[in-house]
Amino acid sequence: DAEVALVGRSNVGKSTLMRELTGHSFDTGGKPGVTRSPNHYDWAPEDFVITDLPGFGFMSGVDEDLREEIKTEIVHYLEEYADDILVAILVVDGKSVVDIIDRHSGPDEIPYDVEMFHFLRELDVPTVVAVNKMDKVDDEDERLDDLCDRLGLYPPWKQWQDTVAPISAKRGQLEPLTEAVRSHLHEQQRDDLF
Ligand code: GDP
C-alpha cells in the first residue's frame, strides 16, 4: 500500500501532528519508548496509510542500549519498506533543532536528524522536513535558512519548500506540509505515467 512514514526525535510533536493529520487521538507526552512498533493509520482525505515510527534520540528514563535498539529498528523498517514509502516526513522541533544539531556535530558525531535526513535520501525516499513548533520561533526565515545549511541544502529555504515545511501542529497550521507532501505524490504519479 502507498505509505507515508513519519519519523522524528521524541518530544518534537509527532503525536500531536499525527492527531491533526488522522483525527485519531494519540498519547501525547506519554511514556517514551512505549509505542515501539510502527503504527499504521489512514490519512483520511488522501488515499494512503501513514506510519508512525517510534520517537528516537534522548528520552529521559530510557537507557542508551534501548535507544540504540529503537534506532536500529527504525532503520531496518525504512530499509525494508523503502520501495513502498512514497514520502517520509522527518519531524523536528523548530525551536531547538539547529542548536541540537550544532551541539552534536563533531569529528566523530553526526546528529540524529542530519543522519536520518541523509539516510532517507540514500534510500531514495523523498523526504519532507516538518519544522514544527514554529509558533515559538520569532526569526522564522533565519532559523529555516540555518536548518537548510545544516542539512546541506543551499539557503534560502524558500527554494526548498518541497523539502522544508514550517508548521505548528498544536495550532493545526499544517498547510506547508500537506502542500509539500502532495507535490511529491504528484511527481511520482507523473513519473508513473511516462
Ligand atoms: P512526540 O513525543 O514527538 O509525540 O511529541 P508530542 O506530540 O507528545 O508533543 C510534545 C510536546 O510538544 C507537547 O507538550 C506538545 O503540546 C508540544 N507541541 C507539539 N506541537 C507543538 C507546536 O506546534 N507548538 C508548540 N508550541 N508546542 C507543540
Side-chain angles (χ1 to χ4, degrees):
D1 252 14
E3 183 178 337
V4 172
L6 208 66
V7 296
R9 300 168 62 91
S10 54
N11 211 42
V12 294
K14 227 153 54 67
S15 315
T16 308
L17 178 59
M18 279 295 284
R19 192 175 54 216
E20 287 293 323
L21 291 174
T22 66
H24 289 266
S25 71
F26 292 86
D27 201 11
T28 51
K31 223 176 179 180
V34 169
T35 315
R36 291 283 304 281
S37 49
N39 287 306
H40 306 281
Y41 303 91
D42 292 331
W43 190 348
E46 313 286 342
D47 192 21
F48 45 72
V49 158
I50 182 159
T51 302
D52 187 23
L53 290 162
F56 54 89
F58 177 78
M59 294 163 258
S60 59
V62 176
D63 72 23
E64 177 81 36
D65 287 350
L66 180 55
R67 244 148 59 198
E68 279 304 310
E69 209 179 290
I70 291 170
K71 201 175 130 194
T72 304
E73 278 173 20
I74 295 168
V75 164
H76 285 166
Y77 182 89
L78 293 171
E79 279 173 339
E80 190 172 347
Y81 295 103
D83 288 345
D84 298 324
I85 301 174
L86 297 179
V87 179
I89 300 174
L90 171 62
V91 189
V92 301
D93 179 339
K95 182 83 183 166
S96 60
V97 63
V98 173
D99 287 343
I100 291 175
I101 287 174
D102 288 349
R103 210 181 311 142
H104 292 280
S105 299
D108 325 297
E109 207 182 0
I110 302 169
Y112 274 140
D113 292 317
V114 176
E115 187 180 22
M116 192 56 76
F117 184 70
H118 291 306
F119 174 67
L120 287 163
R121 293 198 137 192
E122 271 165 39
L123 291 177
D124 256 334
V125 175
T127 302
V128 178
V129 182
V131 192
N132 192 29
K133 307 195 188 183
M134 287 308 285
D135 55 286
K136 292 207 285 186
V137 175
D138 297 324
D139 48 350
E140 171 161 336
D141 288 334
E142 196 184 328
R143 190 64 58 96
L144 295 168
D145 285 348
D146 284 349
L147 177 59
C148 278
D149 173 70
R150 304 309 190 270
L151 294 175
L153 306 170
Y154 201 79
W157 78 272
K158 295 224 166 163
Q159 296 185 110
W160 298 102
Q161 294 190 56
D162 288 353
T163 308
V164 173
I167 62 167
S168 171
K170 201 172 177 173
R171 294 193 180 166
Q173 292 163 347
L174 307 179
E175 189 76 3
L177 175 62
T178 50
E179 282 300 307
V181 169
R182 277 198 195 105
S183 75
H184 288 292
L185 297 176
H186 292 160
E187 213 166 88
Q188 285 174 34
Q189 281 163 356
R190 212 163 46 232
D191 289 347
D192 289 344
L193 288 174
F194 297 106

